[in-house]
Amino acid sequence: MSRTLRLVFSLCLGGAAASQVPTGYLVTAESGSTTAPGMRFVDPATGVATDVRAGAGSRLVLPRAQTVTVDPRSPRSIPYVSGLSTSIAPVFQRAGVQDNLLATITSHPLQSSVGVPNRIEIATTGILAAIGVGNLPGLWSAPANGGPAVLVAPLANAYDVATAGNDAFVCSYVAGRPTRIDAVDLTTAVPRTLGANYPPLRALAVQPGNGLLAGTDAGDILVIDTASGAILSQSNLFATAVVALATDASGRAYALTDASEVFDLSAPAAPVYRGNQQVNDIALGAVDLPSYLVFGTGCGQSGLTPMYQLPSGEPGLGNASFAVTLTGGRPQVPAVFALGTSRTTYLGVPLPLPLDFLRMTGCTLYTDLAVTLPLGLDMNGNASFPLPVPNAPRLLGRHFTTQWFAVDLVANPAGAVASDGGEGIVR
């Protein structure tokens, strides 16, 4: 059986184009009521969003998710994320996520200040927070693993912060007024004014090899010299305000507008992602380790939790124990495990594909069904399918998709249900 599964895995992935694998994920901080608020991962190549999960299939919910940042030093980078929950002031909470599961939450009391961060950022000194309201506005810093946050530099109306080495750039923001940008030396805590008469802006990001990017309320993108503060270029790209920017070490850059749309600045004609609830901030993380992400939702009876998938281990080269499990089906019913190579197209048809035309009301197809294997669910409605990953370097960077289907006679006219989707990346 093990040898057969290795052959299935190799055949399924052998022809998959490595270009399908995203080299990074956008991470969003979202609030609202249409879907669970909190953090989501977005594949910028497809616009498909993956819900962050707290475990057991449930979405991680941060009711007032406001800002996110990626720790580039983390050994796990799909990605290790910081998100903000402001349920108890003057404390901000940082929710750490590995792969797409909640890993840890740390709390950071704000010493002698009542206020909440507009933006947070990872720096060499810990977590930086820009706080614009309260009795001590300015740039704050907190240790990465929890503990009190302290004021680094008092700055009025501090809104966003971006870092480059030991320097932190902080912009003020008051609607309709000129924006000031200060550069703060994180070693000495000494600020210097970079400029005081920029157009109203609330988004900053350092783009390696280019300069300081800034997004204005008029939809402009500025490139600012980090030494002199001079505006090197100004481009009007959007019809609405830019509220957040995200860059990575390779120079890729994305902009979030206040219409909750995310744009690739190298091709800004159309958004790569449009949130169906309020998107407050974005970050960018690299995909460089074996991973398995769950996306979409399963279907079933109203009021009951749909079937969902969870990985057992990671799809790393030579991992003979990797498996994909299913939870929440009907006890002891026939099922099918599907393994594919794409979550975007199937026989030329775009995915995800609603299955209502098959009378599977509310169900969705998330994979291209390259291989389907019949099996049965146990007495608890669960199953596990082993996918031992061959130690074959040619599989590096390949991605695969998974989904389960099972009999449920009362769920819909077809008497069948589907799980959420899964995407694995072999490293």
Side-chain angles (χ1 to χ4, degrees):
M1 180 67 170
S2 179
R3 182 173 182 274
T4 301
L5 289 173
R6 284 191 176 91
L7 287 173
V8 168
F9 205 88
S10 297
L11 288 171
C12 183
L13 299 184
S19 62
Q20 289 184 313
V21 182
T23 57
Y25 271 80
L26 285 162
V27 189
T28 64
E30 305 187 18
S31 61
S33 58
T34 55
T35 60
M39 287 176 280
R40 307 185 88 189
F41 297 150
V42 177
D43 179 350
T46 64
V48 175
T50 300
D51 290 303
V52 174
R53 309 217 170 200
S58 61
R59 290 176 177 83
L60 172 63
V61 176
L62 295 174
R64 297 181 65 189
Q66 176 67 29
T67 178
V68 299
T69 183
V70 174
D71 188 347
R73 302 164 299 171
S74 172
R76 305 296 302 272
S77 54
I78 299 203
Y80 191 84
V81 181
S82 295
L84 176 68
S85 174
T86 57
S87 56
I88 305 174
V91 174
F92 73 88
Q93 293 179 311
R94 172 178 180 257
V97 177
Q98 289 182 339
D99 295 332
N100 67 328
L101 296 178
L102 176 67
T104 183
I105 290 180
T106 58
S107 294
H108 305 279
L110 305 178
Q111 299 298 294
S112 303
S113 176
V114 177
V116 295
N118 296 307
R119 292 287 185 264
I120 55 177
E121 187 68 69
I122 296 291
T124 55
T125 56
I127 304 169
L128 300 179
I131 298 177
V133 297
N135 58 320
L136 287 175
L139 179 65
W140 289 69
S141 179
N145 296 319
V150 297
L151 181 65
V152 176
L155 298 168
N157 303 309
Y159 195 90
D160 198 3
V161 54
T163 62
N166 285 326
D167 289 326
F169 299 93
V170 184
C171 69
S172 67
Y173 179 71
V174 177
R177 298 184 186 178
T179 289
R180 169 175 169 158
I181 299 178
D182 291 280
V184 179
D185 186 319
L186 296 176
T187 303
T188 63
V190 175
R192 67 179 176 90
T193 300
L194 196 64
N197 290 294
Y198 299 106
L201 63 89
R202 43 188 151 156
L204 292 179
V206 174
Q207 187 177 40
N210 194 15
L212 183 65
L213 299 184
T216 75
D217 278 2
D220 295 343
I221 298 295
L222 313 180
V223 178
I224 299 172
D225 184 84
T226 56
S228 67
I231 297 177
L232 303 178
S233 67
Q234 182 168 351
S235 305
N236 184 252
L237 299 181
F238 311 110
T240 186
V242 177
V243 296
L245 292 164
T247 61
D248 66 6
S250 71
R252 291 188 309 156
Y254 292 84
L256 168 68
T257 72
D258 62 2
S260 294
E261 295 179 328
V262 181
F263 294 83
D264 181 344
L265 288 187
S266 67
V272 298
Y273 174 67
R274 180 181 288 110
N276 58 1
Q277 59 185 344
Q278 181 66 44
V279 182
N280 298 311
D281 195 15
I282 54 174
L284 194 61
V287 177
D288 59 3
L289 290 173
S291 63
Y292 181 87
L293 304 175
V294 178
F295 61 96
T297 57
C299 59
Q301 290 188 68
S302 176
L304 297 181
T305 301
M307 299 190 304
Y308 58 86
Q309 303 182 90
L310 288 173
S312 177
E314 296 175 328
L317 287 185
N319 183 4
S321 61
F322 176 71
V324 177
T325 64
L326 177 76
T327 300
R330 290 285 185 178
Q332 297 179 314
V333 298
V336 172
F337 175 74
L339 181 66
T341 62
S342 176
R343 69 188 240 186
T344 59
T345 61
Y346 176 46
L347 300 177
V349 178
L351 295 177
L353 175 66
L355 296 177
D356 298 72
F357 71 98
L358 295 178
R359 302 202 304 166
M360 293 176 64
T361 309
C363 299
T364 304
L365 179 66
Y366 292 111
T367 177
D368 60 353
L369 302 176
V371 177
T372 56
L373 299 163
L375 67 162
L377 305 189
D378 64 19
M379 62 184 302
N380 296 313
N382 304 329
S384 180
F385 196 90
L387 281 176
V389 184
N391 190 13
R394 67 187 178 83
L395 298 180
L396 277 173
R398 303 297 186 182
H399 94 171
F400 62 94
T401 53
T402 65
Q403 191 172 9
W404 297 73
F405 304 88
V407 170
D408 189 336
L409 297 177
V410 299
N412 52 48
V417 291
S419 73
D420 46 14
E423 176 189 24
I425 302 177
V426 179
R427 297 289 183 181

